[in-house]
Amino acid sequence: MAHDARVAFLRSAGPHDFPLLAAMRYEFRAAMDEPDEARDVFEARMIGWLGEHLGASPGAWNAWLAVDGEDAIGAVFLQIVDKVPGPVPEPEQLGYITSLYVRPEHRGAGVGAALLDAALDECRARGVDTIVLWPSARSRSLYERRGFRSPGLVMELPLVDHPGRSRLS
């Protein structure tokens, strides 16, 4: 799928991008609620997590960065989740998209759409059955424009209430 021309460059994230991904993850979540962890401590923990999870195994996480010159301006994460095998003809993987974040000064220019398209393209290439995500109120229209809808088949049991959880009522 063609990406918006205003996105200078979109790439799969690798180990050299871990500090950028950690910084953007902090910005994304700290905007929702007061952090209880110092930024440098969180970023070090996130970099360790990325080293263990990003691209390390078949069920690993994937991430893409949107960059403008040397500046990272957005990111998205995707995990391919294996379903339990079944004897019927259906794909046996789900996609989970999360943490689609575009720095505020770059919003509204197609960066989020380009990042989402990269994750969707990967899901299509891998023959994923269904993609799930939890939208923010602001991002909901972006996902709806790409065909996402609130399903009647999925059930959810939130065990912890937190500011990042969407309020759809």
Side-chain angles (χ1 to χ4, degrees):
M1 183 169 284
H3 299 293
D4 193 296
R6 292 169 286 192
V7 177
F9 187 63
L10 195 64
R11 68 171 189 249
S12 292
H16 60 283
D17 296 313
F18 289 178
L20 297 171
L21 291 168
M24 282 193 286
R25 176 69 178 160
Y26 184 88
E27 293 168 18
F28 175 58
R29 296 298 292 173
M32 294 180 188
D33 196 17
E34 184 68 30
D36 65 353
E37 187 172 20
R39 184 176 183 137
D40 61 331
V41 173
F42 170 79
E43 288 182 6
R45 185 166 65 89
M46 180 72 182
I47 289 169
W49 183 92
L50 289 164
E52 294 176 14
H53 294 87
L54 196 67
S57 65
W61 287 83
N62 301 273
W64 290 265
L65 275 175
V67 295
D68 184 4
E70 297 295 316
D71 298 325
I73 60 174
V76 66
F77 287 84
L78 166 69
Q79 184 178 33
I80 303 295
V81 179
D82 289 333
K83 292 169 47 179
V84 175
V88 298
E90 68 182 21
E92 294 181 349
Q93 293 182 319
L94 300 172
Y96 168 51
I97 295 175
T98 190
S99 297
L100 193 156
Y101 175 71
V102 176
R103 289 193 160 137
E105 63 273 20
H106 296 281
R107 293 178 184 161
V111 177
L115 287 162
L116 179 57
D117 287 345
L120 295 177
D121 289 348
E122 179 68 16
C123 289
R124 287 182 187 102
R126 302 218 10 211
V128 165
D129 179 32
T130 301
I131 303 166
V132 297
L133 55 78
W134 282 263
S136 66
R138 179 180 170 90
S139 67
R140 191 170 188 79
S141 64
L142 168 65
Y143 298 122
E144 288 172 343
R145 287 191 306 271
R146 292 299 189 276
F148 284 85
R149 55 187 163 70
S150 297
L153 299 176
V154 174
M155 296 177 74
E156 176 184 47
L157 174 61
L159 297 177
V160 177
D161 189 26
H162 56 84
R165 190 173 309 281
S166 293
R167 306 278 188 250
L168 301 176
S169 53

